[in-house]
Amino acid sequence: MSSVVGGLFCDLQKTFDCVNYDILLSKMKFYGIIRVANRLMESYLRNRYQRVNINGHNNSNDGLSKWKEVHHGVPHSSILGTLLILIYINDLSKSVSDKSSPILFADDTTFIIANCNETEFKFKTNDIFNGINKWFHSNLLMLKL
């Protein structure tokens, strides 16, 4: 008997910039990162500041924006940033793992769906899509359009 197989390929919009610290730290506690380790991660995330260099000159204050506090997001291009994203989205697969085979990596997530019946396949795919959209919304993330 043949199966209908498909995939939902999710590319999250600005994932590294949108991580909510309270949600991330509570997920870390759930996974056993508690006490000193959790406080260390909180100090890494909170009270960070950034500014923009508009002209690209490192030896002058001309073209530099004012320092602004960063209220959400994890540092880009860092090993720890990618790990924090994976912790943040790890429970996404649990929300639909009984209906699909999820593959998670940072801001790119794939759900493989298979069913022998085309009608059931379509229903299952819509159900998974609705479930992951609900998860994205409750975790303050959005899919790229």
Side-chain angles (χ1 to χ4, degrees), residues 11-23:
D11 190 8
L12 297 173
Q13 184 174 3
K14 299 185 179 191
T15 308
F16 284 81
D17 298 328
C18 296
V19 169
N20 178 285
Y21 298 151
D22 294 328
I23 293 172

Side-chain angles (χ1 to χ4, degrees), residues 12 15 30 48 52 69-70 73 79 85 103 115 117 126 129:
L12 297 173
T15 308
F30 176 80
R48 290 186 301 120
V52 177
E69 187 173 1
V70 178
I79 293 170
I85 294 292
I103 303 165
N115 199 294
N117 181 296
N126 281 329
F129 187 72

Side-chain angles (χ1 to χ4, degrees), residues 84-97:
L84 294 173
I85 294 292
L86 289 171
I87 291 169
Y88 196 78
I89 67 168
N90 188 59
D91 61 328
L92 168 59
S93 62
K94 306 261 187 292
S95 65
V96 293
S97 62

Side-chain angles (χ1 to χ4, degrees), residues 1-94:
M1 182 179 269
S2 63
S3 290
V4 179
V5 178
L8 292 173
F9 302 92
C10 305
D11 190 8
L12 297 173
Q13 184 174 3
K14 299 185 179 191
T15 308
F16 284 81
D17 298 328
C18 296
V19 169
N20 178 285
Y21 298 151
D22 294 328
I23 293 172
L24 175 60
L25 291 166
S26 70
K27 288 181 183 204
M28 293 174 84
K29 283 181 183 176
F30 176 80
Y31 293 124
I33 302 169
I34 56 174
R35 294 189 285 276
V36 173
N38 196 276
R39 287 193 306 270
L40 178 65
M41 293 311 303
E42 183 172 16
S43 73
Y44 174 75
L45 294 168
R46 297 194 194 272
N47 299 313
R48 290 186 301 120
Y49 290 81
Q50 69 182 18
R51 67 180 178 176
V52 177
N53 184 342
I54 298 168
N55 295 327
H57 301 293
N58 294 332
N59 56 358
S60 169
N61 281 340
D62 293 340
L64 288 176
S65 67
K66 293 181 181 179
W67 285 102
K68 295 281 187 171
E69 187 173 1
V70 178
H71 295 284
H72 45 79
V74 296
H76 293 250
S77 303
S78 68
I79 293 170
L80 189 55
T82 302
L83 175 64
L84 294 173
I85 294 292
L86 289 171
I87 291 169
Y88 196 78
I89 67 168
N90 188 59
D91 61 328
L92 168 59
S93 62
K94 306 261 187 292

